[in-house]
Amino acid sequence: MYLKPNVVFEPLVDRWYAWSHLISPATSAMNITGRHLSIMESYLLAPGIHAEAVLNPKMRGGPFMDFAGGRIEEVRTLEQDTRRKRANMIEFSKAVKELDKMLAAEAKGFGLEDLYPKVPKLLKGYVELFYDRNNNAAFRFFESLLYKSEFHDTSAQSMAFWITNNDHRPFCLSTPRLDEPEVLHLDIPFLHRGIDELARMKREPQTLSYIKEILGITKEQEALFETFFTTTPHPAYKKYNGDKIRMRYFGHACILVETKDVSILVDPLISYYGYDSDIEHFSDSDLPDVIDYVLITHNHQDHILFETLLPLRHKIRNMIVPRTEGGRLEDPNLKLMFNSIGFKNVTEIGEMETVEFADINITGIPFTGEHSDLNILTKACHHVQIGEFKLLFMADSRIMEPELYKHIQRAIGDVDVIFLGMECDGAPLTWLYGPLFTKKIARDQDATRRLNGSDCSRGMSLVNIFHPKEAYVYAMGQEPWVEFISSIKYTDESNPIVQSNQLVRLCHERSITAERLFGEKELLYERQLIGQPELA
Ligand SMILES: [Fe+2]
């Protein structure tokens, strides 16, 4: 039997859609209290307000549960279970709050050693205290030790599987997954090899008894589980064997770069298939059997999707992620996070650092903005050079100081193709990072601390500096299969659409090929070898 192509793999933590901040122990504790419990409590107090807010387009992506005001008892049970099972994480988040308070009250520029006895008991040995150069006290976690502690509890992880016939799902950061008759819920951690074996069955047939045994399917689960399989083989993936560089846009920020020797997948986000969709798109069947490199640009939930990555884990050879070592709560380490969920061969890349293989160089390029002015370093744009052909994946960078990119251009030269995200009206700081703050953020400050990508003038400054032959706007969160995570729905008047239209027009005026990508796109480039004249 083969696995049907529209079986959703939904990774969950405490029954909430899993994203990286729910794996990294400290951010996970803060999200349990500051997001999950807070949304559940609010729902139980006023379910009607949530039901109304979900229908209001202005509230899209807000902290409102999409249960039409119902399912109260189930939400109450989930809330109580969370309080019981995650008591240690709730205590952890309280201790972080206490530590912040203690440092604010007592760290006045004098030696910090005397304050160690006042660190909350639960955090003792997990933090180092320090000052910045302006005598503001803060702390860092020994994050690798947190992964070895009770605060990294993989029993909170589970997987939901079901057959989808459309791209609709409620906004995933605000609505947990309750039991549904058509959803099979398995209490297995993300490390479980059954996930790999099940995903392999998209291409390699297996017996049902084999996969049932690995996943521990019970008698009660059997009937539903068996509906996930078919005897019909999937359309075969045709390996790219041409001499060119082939690039395929899979939606949002996900791009596959292939030569006949190597495949590179940037910010994986792959849709399902096997159901009617109005939009042509590449899908799982267009991915090679082996992905040599996965490149991750930054730690946002629409760029690191476990739902895509876990089923691909068995075919990913290497991952390149941005480096962080700060141990700051707001900037968890991605390598540790990926290792903890079964991804091996994760290489961290620093700014202007290069990883080389075959005739390919990947260089980490500074990524500025789009992080609400927090000191978050886990972000890298990727400069991919294949032979003499140069591609620049700028993700959601906001170009605040063009001088930076002039310095970079002097180091790497002009590029052939730029990909730039232009979600220039991003969400405010608290939308994503609110649970990590232990003091209330003033509304007016929040409004100026946004997750903004580049607008037209900022985007054009890159074009002016790197002189690309082609410029593509991507990562706009517009594809229907991205909406559940991006919470974006634009109209023609939306500023990111207006700004990106303008950038495309300006590029055309200069004879630069330009387009805002949507759905799918295939591009082919000559593979010019280093030191060789351009091929015809
Ligand atoms: Fe982002």
Side-chain angles (χ1 to χ4, degrees):
M1 304 290 275
Y2 294 92
L3 183 69
K4 287 181 181 168
N6 51 341
V7 173
V8 175
F9 283 58
E10 198 175 65
L12 303 170
V13 172
D14 297 325
R15 291 287 187 124
W16 290 77
Y17 191 81
W19 59 296
S20 65
H21 277 207
L22 300 189
I23 304 294
S24 308
T27 50
S28 175
M30 302 308 280
N31 274 279
I32 289 170
T33 51
R35 192 184 304 274
H36 303 166
L37 285 172
S38 133
I39 294 178
M40 288 191 283
E41 280 165 14
S42 149
Y43 187 77
L44 291 169
L45 280 174
I49 291 179
H50 282 244
E52 261 174 52
V54 166
L55 297 175
N56 182 348
K58 282 190 186 147
M59 305 278 196
R60 195 183 296 279
F64 305 107
M65 271 199 221
D66 196 355
F67 289 132
R71 312 196 68 166
I72 305 288
E73 278 318 306
E74 289 162 275
V75 174
R76 198 184 311 280
T77 305
L78 181 61
E79 193 240 7
Q80 286 165 356
D81 282 354
T82 308
R83 286 195 182 284
R84 185 168 46 83
K85 291 182 190 162
R86 305 290 258 165
N88 63 339
M89 300 299 261
I90 296 168
E91 289 305 312
F92 187 103
S93 75
K94 281 185 193 157
V96 168
K97 194 171 185 170
E98 270 174 50
L99 179 55
D100 271 348
K101 242 169 112 176
M102 186 275 282
L103 290 176
E106 305 207 26
K108 300 288 185 193
F110 299 95
L112 286 170
E113 202 175 328
D114 291 347
L115 297 185
Y116 277 86
K118 296 185 179 179
V119 169
K121 190 160 174 274
L122 183 146
L123 293 179
K124 278 192 201 297
Y126 288 122
V127 292
E128 180 172 31
L129 310 180
F130 64 88
Y131 286 115
D132 70 11
R133 286 179 308 99
N134 292 312
N135 277 354
N136 299 307
F139 62 90
R140 71 166 180 116
F141 288 111
F142 298 102
E143 218 185 329
S144 47
L145 293 174
L146 288 179
Y147 276 96
K148 295 185 191 307
S149 76
E150 57 169 307
F151 305 111
H152 175 56
D153 180 3
T154 56
S155 73
Q157 299 171 6
S158 63
M159 294 292 298
F161 299 97
W162 80 94
I163 293 178
T164 185
N165 287 309
N166 57 58
D167 293 312
H168 175 76
R169 258 186 274 177
F171 175 57
C172 66
L173 298 191
S174 298
T175 303
R177 178 151 295 283
L178 301 177
D179 286 339
E180 307 288 348
E182 71 282 8
V183 176
L184 177 70
H185 190 260
L186 296 183
D187 276 319
I188 52 172
F190 302 159
L191 273 170
H192 199 286
R193 84 175 179 100
I195 298 171
D196 306 289
E197 292 306 302
L198 185 64
R200 272 184 218 277
M201 288 179 71
K202 290 187 181 187
R203 298 216 176 153
E204 300 162 26
Q206 257 306 348
T207 61
L208 281 184
S209 56
Y210 171 83
I211 192 68
K212 278 183 196 169
E213 192 184 327
I214 289 180
L215 285 169
I217 301 299
T218 64
K219 278 267 165 289
E220 298 71 49
Q221 293 169 330
E222 253 180 344
L224 176 58
F225 187 67
E226 286 177 9
T227 65
F228 297 164
F229 300 90
T230 173
T231 50
T232 314
H234 294 217
Y237 163 75
K238 289 185 207 75
K239 186 180 178 327
Y240 180 67
N241 277 318
D243 281 330
K244 298 187 177 182
I245 298 162
R246 183 170 80 176
M247 237 178 333
R248 285 177 158 187
Y249 170 71
F250 279 65
H252 199 51
C254 181
I255 290 172
L256 176 67
V257 181
E258 286 169 288
T259 68
K260 64 177 183 304
D261 308 312
V262 174
S263 58
I264 300 169
L265 186 64
V266 186
D267 285 350
L269 198 177
I270 311 289
S271 72
Y272 298 94
Y273 68 102
Y275 54 88
D276 286 333
S277 171
D278 296 340
I279 298 157
E280 287 290 311
H281 57 273
F282 294 119
S283 186
D284 186 66
S285 57
D286 302 296
L287 289 176
D289 292 329
V290 168
I291 299 167
D292 294 298
Y293 279 84
V294 160
L295 308 186
I296 299 288
T297 57
H298 65 301
N299 194 2
H300 282 162
Q301 80 288 356
D302 54 332
H303 294 257
I304 298 179
L305 274 104
F306 300 145
E307 177 169 349
T308 291
L309 286 167
L310 289 177
L312 294 182
R313 182 170 59 192
H314 68 280
K315 57 165 84 177
I316 297 174
R317 289 253 169 92
N318 302 281
M319 290 183 88
I320 296 184
V321 304
R323 173 178 295 136
T324 358
E325 275 154 9
R328 288 185 310 282
L329 177 60
E330 66 275 29
D331 200 14
N333 182 289
L334 276 185
K335 184 178 177 181
L336 289 171
M337 192 281 297
F338 274 120
N339 286 161
S340 83
I341 56 168
F343 289 87
K344 302 186 180 103
N345 299 329
V346 180
T347 303
E348 295 181 312
I349 197 164
E351 289 170 351
M352 305 309 290
E353 195 173 48
T354 299
V355 173
E356 289 176 40
F357 55 98
D359 64 337
I360 296 176
N361 287 338
I362 297 172
T363 303
I365 299 292
F367 179 142
T368 57
E370 213 248 349
H371 287 70
S372 303
D373 301 314
L374 292 169
N375 187 13
I376 290 175
L377 303 177
T378 314
K379 46 190 180 133
C381 303
H382 295 289
H383 177 258
V384 177
Q385 182 168 359
I386 305 176
E388 288 194 352
F389 191 77
K390 295 173 174 179
L391 301 149
L392 196 51
F393 295 98
M394 295 302 293
D396 299 330
S397 298
R398 185 166 171 94
I399 313 307
M400 290 177 294
E401 177 49 82
E403 291 302 317
L404 165 64
Y405 297 89
K406 290 183 188 167
H407 298 317
I408 296 168
Q409 194 276 347
R410 280 193 286 277
I412 65 171
D414 285 343
V415 301
D416 296 286
V417 187
I418 284 185
F419 293 90
L420 176 66
M422 293 187 67
E423 220 243 277
C424 54
D425 284 357
L429 161 76
T430 51
W431 180 77
L432 197 61
Y433 298 109
L436 308 182
F437 284 75
T438 56
K439 268 207 300 209
K440 213 169 158 45
I441 304 285
R443 249 184 119 90
D444 53 348
Q445 289 180 347
D446 195 27
T448 70
R449 304 267 302 269
R450 305 194 84 93
L451 290 115
N452 281 348
S454 285
D455 55 14
C456 177
S457 68
R458 288 171 174 85
M460 283 310 290
S461 65
L462 276 188
V463 172
N464 293 335
I465 292 165
F466 289 104
H467 309 106
K469 297 178 191 78
E470 302 182 15
Y472 295 100
V473 177
Y474 76 146
M476 299 295 272
Q478 275 187 295
E479 285 84 8
W481 60 90
V482 186
E483 279 174 23
F484 81 99
I485 191 123
S486 71
S487 76
I488 284 171
K489 213 165 178 86
Y490 292 137
T491 66
D492 289 347
E493 286 75 46
S494 302
N495 196 32
I497 297 299
V498 172
Q499 294 285 329
S500 50
N501 283 344
Q502 207 179 333
L503 178 130
V504 167
R505 203 169 45 242
L506 288 175
C507 285
H508 287 169
E509 282 171 21
R510 300 185 195 181
S511 303
I512 297 168
T513 303
E515 185 181 332
R516 183 177 58 240
L517 300 178
F518 178 72
E520 72 170 26
K521 181 86 182 172
E522 179 172 296
L523 302 159
L524 283 169
Y525 298 103
E526 296 298 334
R527 187 179 184 181
Q528 193 187 338
L529 301 176
I530 294 173
Q532 286 195 358
E534 193 163 348
L535 301 169

